[in-house]
């Protein structure tokens, strides 16, 4: 389904004109002739954007926008104020009401579609972020507002000192702005550390479109938001800029409120996308990481060890599996308590991880049981490595809350055979561990019952 846009205007010809323009771009268009009707539709329909006439009889666009933004179910919908008003105080009033952007009558098709596309992209990433919070729309709002308050770092690429000073004055108090006049230096600086690039298209000293193409051609700046500044007669170049992947454009002379709206839209989209990636990485880490010890968990081990089975079958590269277990751990928990037991688990995990090779795969498989996969390792070599770790742990006290505790471990080891699956080799290693426990603990046993300690 295409994006749903609500057009709000008390004049039928204006509504019809916008409806035709938007429908030609395959948007699903709803219309309202008053502020109150707009609120009713917003409450009932799933909307992606509202185009709102500022001056309407009864409830005007400012008040309607304010109500949309204060409603727990509709506050996240972008609103564009459509107005013939030129005075700064009216634009400020729109921003205070919660408007995300402005379009001035008579409406220019290019500017209209630029605003619509930009804010629909913002709405899309907003919806994605909201869906990942796991909360209701109302409960998610504080998270979004916290992100919105972030101070962006902007690189302004402009070689005209006066034009640069004007933009600095307009947005420099809200965000950090660095000016760069050299396009080559700009490309290097924009490979990291900035949240937005504002590029002048009116410079006679460098080709802004070539600069934009360079940024989009680099994987480090491919996702960086780009806002291009140009003159009214630059529409053809603006179109080319969008083809190159520019996110938004603004036409000189630049109104402060309009510039702030465009800058904030791009920064919000960038920050929301960053939060999504952080959330994804955090969730991914939670899926494969044991939260107590920081080691990989069972899922991590099962997925990571699979390439070793493939190498064994294709390249005949041997590898071994070690099942490692803390002796009498249930008694430790019963006597000392689970908090003390958790501290012991963390210490044993740290010793195990720090004393294995970088290529070894170490995971907490469950409870007090750890698994280690050792690439390019025969059972005999794995036995030596396992016994070295067992001796190190048993020979050095574990200090928990000032108490020196003597902790021993046992291990079972099996070299993987061609054609075996993980469950097969795990069973052989686990059987060897069981024999180590029966044999008195604090020892390493192999699957062929040879005793190492």
């Amino acid at each position: 389904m295409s994006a749903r846009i609500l057009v709000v205007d008390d004049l039928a010809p204006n509504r019809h004109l916008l409806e035709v323009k938007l429908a030609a771009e395959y948007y699903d268009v709803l219309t309202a002739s008053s502020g109150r009707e707009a609120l009713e539709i917003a409450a009932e329909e799933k909307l992606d954007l509202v185009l709102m006439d500022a001056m309407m009889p009864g409830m005007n666009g400012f008040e309607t926008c304010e109500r949309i933004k204060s409603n727990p179910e509709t506050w996240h919908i972008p609103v564009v104020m459509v107005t013939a008003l030129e005075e700064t105080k009216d634009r400020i009033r729109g921003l205070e009401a919660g408007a995300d952007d402005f379009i001035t009558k008579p409406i220019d098709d290019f500017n209209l579609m630029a605003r619509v596309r930009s804010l629909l992209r913002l709405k899309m990433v907003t919806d994605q972020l909201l869906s990942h919070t796991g909360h209701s729309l109302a409960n998610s709002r504080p998270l979004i507002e916290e992100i919105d308050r972030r101070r962006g770092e902007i690189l302004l690429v402009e070689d005209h000192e006066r034009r640069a000073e004007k933009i600095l004055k307009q947005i420099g108090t809200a965000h950090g702005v660095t000016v760069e006049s050299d396009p080559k230096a700009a490309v290097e600086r924009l490979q990291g550390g900035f949240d937005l690039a504002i590029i002048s298209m009116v410079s006679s000293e460098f080709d802004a479109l070539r600069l934009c193409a360079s940024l989009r051609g680099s994987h480090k700046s491919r996702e960086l938001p780009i806002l291009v500044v140009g003159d009214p007669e630059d529409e053809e170049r603006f179109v080319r800029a969008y083809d190159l992947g520019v996110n938004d454009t603004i036409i000189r002379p630049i109104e402060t409120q309009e510039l702030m709206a465009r800058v904030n839209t791009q920064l919000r989209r960038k920050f929301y996308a960053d939060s999504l990636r952080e959330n994804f990485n955090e969730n991914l880490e939670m899926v494969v990481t044991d939260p107590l010890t920081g080691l990989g968990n069972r899922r991590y081990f099962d997925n990571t060890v699979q390439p070793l089975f493939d190498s064994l079958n294709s390249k005949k590269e041997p590898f071994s599996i070690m099942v490692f277990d803390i002796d009498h751990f249930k008694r430790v928990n019963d006597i000392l308590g689970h908090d003390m037991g958790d501290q012991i688990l963390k210490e044993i995990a740290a010793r195990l991880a720090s004393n294995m090779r970088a290529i070894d795969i170490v995971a907490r498989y469950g409870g007090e049981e750890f698994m280690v996969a050792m690439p390019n390792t025969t059972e005999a070599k794995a036995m030596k490595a396992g016994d070295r770790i067992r001796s190190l742990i048993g020979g050095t006290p574990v200090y928990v809350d000032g108490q020196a505790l003597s902790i021993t471990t046992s291990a079972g080891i099996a070299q993987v055979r061609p054609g075996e699956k993980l469950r097969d080799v795990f069973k052989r290693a686990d059987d060897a561990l069981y024999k180590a426990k029966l044999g008195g603990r604090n020892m390493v046993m192999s699957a062929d019952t040879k005793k190492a300690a």
Side-chain angles (χ1 to χ4, degrees):
M1 183 178 177
S2 64
R4 306 196 82 187
I5 300 175
L6 175 63
V7 174
V8 188
D9 198 305
D10 62 304
L11 299 178
N14 292 345
R15 293 197 304 274
H16 180 68
L17 179 63
L18 284 174
E19 184 177 10
V20 169
K21 290 177 184 290
L22 294 168
E25 297 294 324
Y26 304 102
Y27 294 119
D28 184 15
V29 185
L30 305 176
T31 61
S33 58
S34 68
R36 294 196 180 281
E37 185 182 0
L39 293 177
E40 292 173 1
I41 293 174
E44 296 174 1
E45 302 286 345
K46 180 177 173 57
L47 301 176
D48 297 299
L49 180 66
V50 177
L51 292 172
M52 179 95 63
D53 184 38
M55 303 308 294
M56 295 183 293
M59 185 185 298
N60 62 31
F62 300 119
E63 184 180 351
T64 307
C65 177
E66 193 171 41
R67 293 199 181 191
I68 288 174
K69 293 296 185 177
S70 63
N71 186 327
E73 299 301 319
T74 58
W75 61 268
H76 64 299
I77 303 172
V79 176
V80 180
M81 300 299 293
V82 182
T83 176
L85 302 174
E86 297 288 350
E87 295 185 22
T88 299
K89 63 181 179 64
D90 295 308
R91 288 180 178 267
I92 292 175
R93 185 180 178 189
L95 287 172
E96 290 175 345
D100 297 273
D101 212 329
F102 308 91
I103 296 179
T104 303
K105 297 178 183 178
I107 297 174
D108 170 74
D109 288 359
F110 179 84
N111 192 36
L112 169 66
M113 293 308 165
R115 304 280 63 70
V116 167
R117 292 189 185 104
S118 177
L119 287 170
L120 286 178
R121 286 193 290 265
L122 174 64
K123 174 60 163 51
M124 180 179 68
V125 74
T126 303
D127 287 346
Q128 290 175 328
L129 182 58
L130 289 172
S131 70
H132 279 72
T133 65
H135 301 294
S136 66
L137 275 173
N139 292 338
S140 298
R141 189 166 190 173
L143 167 66
I144 298 295
E145 290 178 341
E146 181 181 351
I147 297 173
D148 289 346
R149 287 192 291 269
R150 291 183 187 175
R151 181 179 173 87
E153 291 300 324
I154 302 168
L155 185 69
L156 170 61
V157 188
E158 172 64 83
D159 59 3
H160 190 283
E161 186 176 345
R162 190 168 298 175
R163 289 196 299 257
E165 286 178 354
K166 182 178 180 182
I167 291 179
L168 273 170
K169 185 177 180 181
Q170 289 172 312
I171 63 174
T173 57
H175 303 290
V177 182
T178 303
V179 180
E180 178 57 69
S181 59
D182 181 358
K184 290 184 179 179
V187 171
E188 293 179 3
R189 299 181 74 168
L190 289 169
Q191 299 307 299
F194 288 95
D195 303 305
L196 172 66
I198 301 178
I199 300 175
S200 172
M201 204 159 60
V202 298
S203 172
S204 59
E205 300 300 321
F206 64 84
D207 185 342
L209 295 183
R210 187 174 298 278
L211 173 56
C212 293
S214 296
L215 292 174
R216 285 297 177 253
S218 169
H219 74 278
K220 290 185 178 180
S221 57
R222 192 164 294 153
E223 301 298 326
L224 179 75
I226 301 175
L227 173 63
V228 168
V229 181
D231 288 328
E233 60 269 20
D234 288 330
E235 183 171 316
E236 186 174 328
R237 298 183 70 207
F238 279 142
V239 172
R240 181 64 181 138
Y242 279 113
D243 289 341
L244 291 171
V246 161
N247 300 85
D248 206 351
T249 55
I250 190 166
I251 299 173
R252 299 171 61 226
I254 304 173
E255 291 284 343
T256 299
Q257 291 74 32
E258 185 178 5
L259 177 61
M260 281 300 303
R262 307 285 162 83
V263 165
N264 287 337
T265 292
Q266 295 309 317
L267 288 175
R268 287 166 65 194
R269 185 177 168 220
K270 164 73 162 50
F271 293 153
Y272 294 174
D274 289 347
S275 295
L276 271 172
R277 278 190 291 271
E278 292 166 5
N279 185 265
F280 173 80
N281 290 335
E282 182 179 335
N283 288 341
L284 182 62
E285 186 175 344
M286 289 175 64
V287 168
V288 299
T289 303
D290 172 51
L292 177 64
T293 65
L295 296 178
N297 61 15
R298 183 169 187 158
R299 178 179 293 185
Y300 163 81
F301 185 88
D302 291 352
N303 291 336
T304 310
V305 80
Q306 186 55 48
L308 298 181
F309 282 89
D310 298 336
S311 293
L312 173 65
N313 295 325
S314 62
K315 302 177 184 178
K316 310 304 180 186
E317 294 179 354
F319 78 99
S320 298
I321 296 288
M322 177 168 64
V323 183
F324 211 80
D325 187 275
I326 300 175
D327 294 331
H328 300 297
F329 188 71
K330 184 179 184 302
R331 192 163 63 191
V332 170
N333 271 336
D334 290 344
I335 296 173
L336 301 178
H338 287 278
D339 289 343
M340 189 80 81
D342 286 348
Q343 294 301 312
I344 293 170
L345 277 171
K346 288 195 285 188
E347 176 62 24
I348 298 301
R351 293 187 185 185
L352 185 60
S354 62
N355 284 281
M356 299 305 296
R357 300 172 301 174
I359 62 171
D360 294 331
I361 301 167
V362 184
R364 182 186 177 197
Y365 217 59
E368 69 273 25
E369 193 170 75
F370 299 88
M371 285 274 278
V372 181
M374 291 171 277
N376 298 316
T377 305
T378 62
E379 187 170 83
K381 290 181 179 178
M383 288 281 289
K384 290 180 180 179
D387 191 54
R388 178 175 56 83
I389 300 299
R390 177 206 61 78
S391 177
L392 184 151
I393 292 174
T396 308
V398 174
Y399 289 90
V400 180
D401 293 339
Q403 297 184 53
L405 305 174
S406 179
I407 302 295
T408 63
T409 54
S410 298
I413 290 174
Q415 182 175 335
V416 183
R417 298 166 180 167
E420 272 192 318
K421 297 185 181 300
L422 177 59
R423 63 175 178 269
D424 302 320
V425 67
F426 171 75
K427 184 178 187 309
R428 292 196 297 116
D430 197 49
D431 287 345
L433 171 65
Y434 181 68
K435 292 173 185 175
K437 296 285 189 180
L438 289 179
R441 295 182 170 83
N442 193 23
M443 64 176 62
V444 178
M445 297 287 287
S446 72
D448 64 5
T449 71
K450 291 178 182 177
K451 180 177 170 182

